[in-house]
Amino acid sequence: MKPDSDPEDLQPPAYEALIQFLYQAPIGLLQIRPDGTVTMMNPRSAQLLMPLARQGNLDNLFEVLDEVAPDLRAMADAAIEPGALVCEGLRMPVRSTAGGRRVLGISLLRLDAHTIMGCVNDVTHEVELEQQRLASRMRDASRTDSLTLMPNRSAVLERIQQALARPDASGAPTFAVLFINCDRFNRVNLTLGQAGGDRLLRMVAERLNGTVRQRDAVGPAREPLHTTARLGGDEFVVLLDGLRGSEDVHSIAQRLIDTLSRPYLIDGVEVHISASIGVVAGNHAAAEANAVLQDASLAMQEAKRAGGGRHVLFTPSIKDIATRRGALEVELRRALEQSELFVVYQPIVELSDGRVAGFEALVRWQHPQRGLVSPVEFIEIAEECGLIGAVGEFVLDSACRQLAAWQRRFGAQAPGMVSVNLSRAQLQDAAITDQVARVLESSGLPAQALQLELTESMAAQGDDIRARLLELKALGLALALDDFGTGYSSLACLGQLPIDTVKIDRSFVADAESNLHKRVLIEATVRVARSLGMSTTAEGIETEGQAALLATLDCNKGQGYLWSRPLTAQAATQWIAARMGATDPMPAETHPSAAAPLRAASGFRA
């Protein structure tokens, strides 16, 4: 098509040149009236727009583009000022004659009240490039941890798989995977909140990136070097590549532990954590990246069990141990369902006159094939797999019902209290106070007859734990500090804890008769506790001499094999009757502990 009229100021040669340019231009050029009527269109425009034209009619642009740009007429009506932009780079999908799809881009500009100029071009390749860039960015985002901006699990798994696929004839551990977990991170989250915990994780990530130097992880230059990653929570991974030998692994792991253990300053608060690291060397690695990470995680868990702040190299025996622990977990779940757990009771006596002051309740497991299983074997498993809550409530409910039964049977001569161990998980449960109140109510046991025991490390965890202890005390029960002298507390901080009884650890009692230092420590503990209105109980008493010495030192109560090993409910009933002088005790009234509901509590000892 040609313009409506030839410009008067153009001489024929100039006009011919303009027409030649319009016809040969590599982009579509067009001119329309405000109602869409086409007054000029070069061949490229016609070629691009023809697939959209009904019956090949290109007389009106708005009608041609009605299906792919229905708002174009309204946009033109709105752009009434000369120089106003109607649209710029408006994209329209077009089905090509070959059956594929193309994308056209159109731009329109109003020249005056009667004329709109425009251009149209094929932007399919540009759109494809944009989609590729977007897909690349999305892929990068999907492989990046949003909190620390480190590579995430999928990215490090890919890098590990690349390292596994690289042949190495020497047999040397040319790469290693380090699985890192922050010790005591949950305590920081509880103390500083999630925002403080997130800041700590970002600081840990910075230290990891700064500590793993380029020479610690040398990959092929053509590959992106992702040596550090965050898996989630407080778990990180370091992939070390290009190692010279196993000594490199140990030195780098120790350097990471030392670096991560330095204090962190968060909102003016100095925070201390340590790190446990599990290491898988390349020459002992599984064939698949996920399995390598799993093995490194198992080694990290062994480092935690050893006390944390250290690294452990994965060996096949670690997997064997984990397999056995996994089997024990399955059996423990079955034990809860099949009522294989039961409670035993160890007497606590008054050292002054030998009266039965109460009992400590302890859990046992009667395995159908293995026989009696010690708590040493299964309590840690229960804590790790989340079953300790159910075990703990079972013990609490059983002990309260049993003491209530003894009080009904023996009246005024019945034991005055029962002591139940409280675990870390139970103490961190916001519902523990309501739970204890429900157990007391359902069992009919007075609150003052219940004593809950907690360890020093639990009592020293912070203001939130102290508040939880005060809530429990408000019920009217007593609190005991178990194994005193082996944890975080000292005589100086006893007064800061809402404790009624201090239990002196058996390690002090065992050689108190021959060790002056231990005897002085026991005497100091008794005096400080008494000055604070607290009573004392010595654990692990096995001889008359130990009992006499502790009585001389004014310790209030004692428990140990001198009086009795832990007893079943029926045997404890007979033991109480015998202490009272009964010759033919009635059948024991015991709570059927195996039938008690199993829900949420924890923490026990042998």
Side-chain angles (χ1 to χ4, degrees), residues 326-376:
L328 192 60
E329 176 186 338
V330 173
E331 293 177 347
L332 182 56
R333 292 184 185 277
R334 186 211 64 229
L336 289 167
E337 296 171 357
Q338 300 297 323
S339 303
E340 296 172 9
L341 300 184
F342 65 100
V343 178
V344 294
Y345 302 87
Q346 185 171 37
I348 301 173
V349 303
E350 297 283 353
L351 290 175
S352 59
D353 56 14
R355 278 188 308 108
V356 181
F359 284 84
E360 180 177 358
L362 304 162
V363 67
R364 296 291 186 267
W365 178 7
Q366 186 64 45
H367 193 282
Q369 283 82 41
R370 299 171 57 188
L372 192 63
V373 181
S374 167
V376 174

Side-chain angles (χ1 to χ4, degrees), residues 11 21 41 86 166 204 221 227 272 329 337 435 489 561:
Q11 298 301 317
F21 167 75
M41 177 180 292
V86 176
R166 189 172 57 248
V204 168
T227 60
H272 294 265
E329 176 186 338
E337 296 171 357
Q435 181 188 98
S489 300
Y561 288 176

Side-chain angles (χ1 to χ4, degrees), residues 507-509 511-512 515-523:
S507 61
F508 291 89
V509 173
D511 54 355
N515 189 317
L516 178 61
H517 176 66
K518 296 287 183 66
R519 191 159 62 247
V520 169
L521 288 175
I522 293 173
E523 184 176 13

